[in-house]
Amino acid sequence: MKRFQLKRPTNQSGNSLPGCIIVIIIMLTLGGIAVMLLITSFRQVEPHAVQIAKIGKWQDLGAEINPYQSWYGLFQISEETFSLRKVKLKVKEIYDHSTEGPKERTEIQIGIKGNSYPIFLIAGVEDLEVGNIEGRNHYNTILAPDRLLEIIYPWGDYSLDSFGSANRMVGEDTEPEFSGYGIKLIHKNIQQLLLEDHYFYGNGPGLVWSGDLDRDGKLDLLIDCICEGPSTNMALFLSSKADKNELVKLVAIWKWEE
């Protein structure tokens, strides 16, 4: 069992990939007219790294996005039917030009062509198939400590067991403070710890979506793991990437703040 950790994408040497913007200026002369082409490379990530994202405008908390990968969106069709479709990702990087010195990226704006709004976006998973997928939108169901949430499908019965201690009430809002929080995924005789030693105020992490995203007849999960104040770490767990004696594997994290 591995502790849930938030990690920035790394290169093969294990070092964090550079968060830089590379601009190449090419001058062409066409019929006496000078044409300037700007080719912008977004923050670098591994070419085939698994990535997830959501549509919207987000404050920069270090999210790395490669818009040139093959991106898919998961769209809700009915209560228990979802559609995985290829999408064209549009990413705009917004910089702070109000101060002297190097300009820092402060926000990113993510969108896709069309008016449909997917539950989330994903890239970098091999052999994803477009089409309908069986699943459930759990609408960020809170995984409160000492709560057992059952997830039942024709191909398997699962449950999420949350645990932790409420230490005290804080401030005027009387929000509970939890420590030692964790989540276990249970299926048949296998129990896997997904999250442990977690600390937070308020309601805690929530289950966003469950289903068979990778079409292997086993459960995949999207969990909203609140970790640092208003920021959120949306974590995708896939069964097809799981190691021996595991049910799922953490494959991607989307860290953002509205």
Side-chain angles (χ1 to χ4, degrees):
M1 297 180 181
K2 295 184 178 180
R3 180 174 177 175
F4 181 97
Q5 295 179 329
L6 303 180
K7 296 181 179 179
R8 296 171 67 88
T10 57
N11 55 25
Q12 292 181 352
S13 65
N15 298 320
S16 294
L17 290 171
C20 60
I21 299 296
I22 301 172
V23 179
I24 303 173
I25 302 177
I26 303 175
M27 298 296 295
L28 300 178
T29 302
L30 299 177
I33 301 175
V35 180
M36 179 180 291
L37 302 180
L38 297 181
I39 304 175
T40 302
S41 140
F42 288 88
R43 294 192 176 189
Q44 300 178 38
V45 296
E46 292 179 344
H48 303 292
V50 179
Q51 296 181 276
I52 55 176
K54 291 187 71 174
I55 286 179
K57 189 176 183 179
W58 314 110
Q59 292 187 28
D60 184 11
L61 295 181
E64 310 294 345
I65 290 293
N66 180 357
Y68 307 113
Q69 288 205 77
S70 295
W71 282 88
Y72 299 81
L74 184 68
F75 300 84
Q76 184 160 5
I77 304 301
S78 65
E79 188 66 27
E80 297 184 1
T81 303
F82 299 79
S83 176
L84 189 67
R85 308 171 191 167
K86 286 189 175 183
V87 296
K88 180 70 173 178
L89 198 68
K90 298 185 293 184
V91 179
K92 180 181 179 181
E93 298 189 319
I94 302 170
Y95 289 82
D96 181 8
H97 296 279
S98 62
T99 59
E100 296 181 358
K103 307 306 179 184
E104 294 185 357
R105 189 180 76 174
T106 57
E107 295 178 311
I108 57 173
Q109 185 169 342
I110 298 175
I112 60 173
K113 185 177 180 180
N115 298 322
S116 299
Y117 195 94
I119 296 174
F120 71 103
L121 302 162
I122 182 172
V125 178
E126 298 178 0
D127 302 325
L128 278 182
E129 297 181 21
V130 298
N132 289 351
I133 289 175
E134 186 176 17
R136 309 266 169 77
N137 190 341
H138 295 273
Y139 300 100
N140 210 16
T141 298
I142 299 300
L143 300 172
D146 301 322
R147 176 180 182 180
L148 187 71
L149 177 64
E150 294 184 340
I151 307 173
I152 300 174
Y153 284 97
W155 32 267
D157 296 351
Y158 297 77
S159 59
L160 286 171
D161 183 13
S162 307
F163 57 89
S165 300
N167 298 329
R168 59 186 175 88
M169 308 304 281
V170 295
E172 297 179 356
D173 295 332
T174 64
E175 289 186 334
E177 175 191 73
F178 289 96
S179 63
Y181 177 88
I183 302 172
K184 289 189 294 185
L185 177 62
I186 303 170
H187 175 59
K188 295 182 179 178
N189 61 341
I190 301 177
Q191 295 188 21
Q192 181 182 352
L193 195 61
L194 303 183
L195 178 66
E196 68 174 333
D197 294 340
H198 199 43
Y199 172 89
F200 62 89
Y201 293 104
N203 293 324
L207 179 60
V208 179
W209 183 85
S210 68
D212 186 13
L213 184 70
D214 50 24
R215 301 179 188 274
D216 64 350
K218 299 176 184 178
L219 188 70
D220 305 313
L221 297 169
L222 185 68
I223 297 178
D224 192 357
C225 300
I226 301 172
C227 291
E228 301 165 4
S231 67
T232 299
N233 298 289
M234 187 172 67
L236 177 65
F237 298 83
L238 292 182
S239 56
S240 60
K241 304 297 183 181
D243 296 329
K244 186 177 181 181
N245 299 323
E246 286 186 335
L247 297 171
V248 294
K249 172 71 71 177
L250 174 64
V251 296
I253 296 170
W254 171 242
K255 186 176 181 180
W256 52 268
E257 183 178 336
E258 294 186 81

